[in-house]
Amino acid sequence: MFNGAENISTEDEGNRVKTGIPGFDELCGGGLVRDRSYLVSGTSGAGKTIFSTQYIYNGITQYGENGIIVATEERPEQIRENMMRFGWDLQALEEENKLAIIDACSTKIGIPSQEKYVDVRPFDIRSMMDQIIATQEEIDAKRALIDSTTSISFYLHEAARIRVELLKLSTTLEIIGLTSMMTCEIVDEKQPSRFGVENFVTDGTFSLYYDMHDNVRSRSVEIYKMRGSDHSKKVHPYDVTKEGFVIHPHEEVYTHF
C-alpha cells in the first residue's frame, strides 16, 4: 500500500445520496446517484451485508431517509442480532416505522415467520416487487437493500432469465424512487458478479476483496463502475471496526489477486 491523493470531482449534492460510510463518499463524487441501483459484490467474509446495511442504517439515523431490507438468505432475527455488534439497533428503527425488513427467507426454506413483512408466496420477482412497493408506500422509504441477488439467481437458473428479471427489479426500484444496493456473492474475485450478468443491470458495482497475502487476509474495495459519476479508479483498503466499515480513501492497494 502507499498513500496517494486522487482528484475526484464532487457532483451536485442535490442529486447525491450519501452513504455515510467513512471514506466511501469521497471515492464516488460525494455519494450515490439518487434513484439508481448498485451491486455490492464479494466473496464470503468480505462484508457485503455489513457494508450495505450500514448504508441503510446511516440513511435513517444520519440523513432522515427510511429504508427497506429484503432478506433472502438470512432470517431477519439473524440480521438484527448480527448488526447489534456495531451498535445498530435495527429493531428500534422498525418500531419507529423507519425501517422495514421483508422476510423473503423463512417461507422459502419451509419454516414459519412471525415477521410483520413476509413474502409468503413461492419465489417470484413480481411478488417481491409488489411487496417492496407496498412497503415503500407504508414507511415512505428512500433506500433499499436486496440481500442477496445470488439466492434469487439460483431460482432463475438461466443467465438470460437472470438478467431480465434482475433488470425488472432494479428498474422498478429506481422508478419508485429508491436508491438501492444489491449484494452478490462471488467465488472468483476476477469476476465482478456470480452469474456474469448482475453488474450489467445495475448502475454501479462495488467490489469488496478479502485476499490472502503472506498468510494474512487483507480487505480492499474497488468501485468497478459507476454510471453518471466520476469515481476512484484505484483499489483502497478498508477495515471492519466495532462501528462498521471504515475505508481509507488516501491509501491504495497495488494488487488484490
Side-chain angles (χ1 to χ4, degrees):
M1 284 186 296
F2 70 91
N3 293 328
E6 189 175 7
N7 293 322
I8 302 168
S9 62
T10 301
E11 308 292 337
D12 176 20
E13 289 199 0
N15 193 41
R16 290 286 160 162
V17 174
K18 294 186 179 298
T19 68
I21 297 172
F24 187 76
D25 294 332
E26 185 177 340
L27 298 180
C28 55
L32 310 183
V33 180
R34 188 169 298 279
D35 300 341
R36 303 259 181 115
S37 297
Y38 298 89
L39 189 72
V40 180
S41 70
T43 56
S44 177
K48 301 178 293 298
T49 298
I50 299 169
F51 179 90
S52 50
T53 302
Q54 190 169 354
Y55 161 71
I56 296 293
Y57 181 83
N58 289 347
I60 298 169
T61 59
Q62 297 182 26
Y63 306 109
E65 296 191 345
N66 293 349
I68 298 170
I69 297 174
V70 181
T72 69
E73 292 192 344
E74 285 186 284
R75 290 176 289 115
E77 55 262 41
Q78 293 175 308
I79 296 174
R80 296 185 190 101
E81 181 180 345
N82 292 339
M83 296 307 141
M84 278 299 293
R85 62 181 278 216
F86 305 109
W88 305 340
D89 191 343
L90 301 186
Q91 186 167 350
L93 299 180
E94 292 175 88
E95 292 171 354
E96 295 172 10
N97 218 34
K98 296 177 179 179
L99 170 67
I101 303 180
I102 299 174
D103 185 353
C105 173
S106 295
T107 56
K108 307 301 184 294
I109 59 177
I111 62 175
S113 175
Q114 303 301 317
E115 297 293 327
K116 179 179 179 181
Y117 302 97
V118 185
D119 189 355
V120 298
R121 289 165 284 191
F123 182 80
D124 178 72
I125 285 285
R126 181 69 257 176
S127 71
M128 179 178 288
M129 290 190 292
D130 289 343
Q131 181 82 329
I132 292 171
I133 292 169
T135 305
Q136 189 232 13
E137 292 175 350
E138 183 173 337
I139 71 168
D140 190 28
K142 302 299 182 186
R143 303 184 181 205
L145 161 60
I146 311 298
D147 188 26
S148 74
T149 63
T150 306
S151 58
I152 294 172
S153 299
F154 275 123
Y155 278 101
L156 299 173
H157 302 297
E158 299 174 359
R161 188 181 175 203
I162 292 169
R163 182 166 183 165
V164 170
E165 296 299 312
L166 290 182
L167 179 60
K168 289 179 185 177
L169 178 59
S170 64
T171 302
T172 298
L173 295 174
E174 294 170 9
I175 289 173
I176 66 176
L178 290 170
T179 308
S180 307
M181 288 189 182
M182 303 180 178
T183 66
C184 170
E185 183 175 323
I186 60 173
V187 293
D188 181 358
E189 288 192 334
K190 295 180 181 179
Q191 302 299 324
S193 62
R194 179 66 172 268
F195 296 93
V197 297
E198 300 95 321
N199 54 305
F200 292 111
V201 300
T202 52
D203 293 290
T205 301
F206 311 140
S207 297
L208 304 180
Y209 302 117
Y210 188 41
D211 307 313
M212 180 74 77
H213 294 292
D214 298 326
N215 217 30
V216 177
R217 286 199 175 275
S218 61
R219 302 177 186 272
S220 56
V221 59
E222 175 185 11
I223 300 179
Y224 189 85
K225 76 167 186 178
M226 192 168 177
R227 293 174 185 155
S229 175
D230 191 14
H231 62 85
S232 172
K233 312 304 188 296
K234 299 177 180 178
V235 180
H236 301 271
Y238 67 87
D239 296 312
V240 179
T241 73
K242 63 180 181 179
E243 296 178 343
F245 264 66
V246 175
I247 293 163
H248 305 288
H250 302 294
E251 297 179 14
E252 179 186 348
V253 177
Y254 272 117
T255 61
H256 50 272
F257 299 124

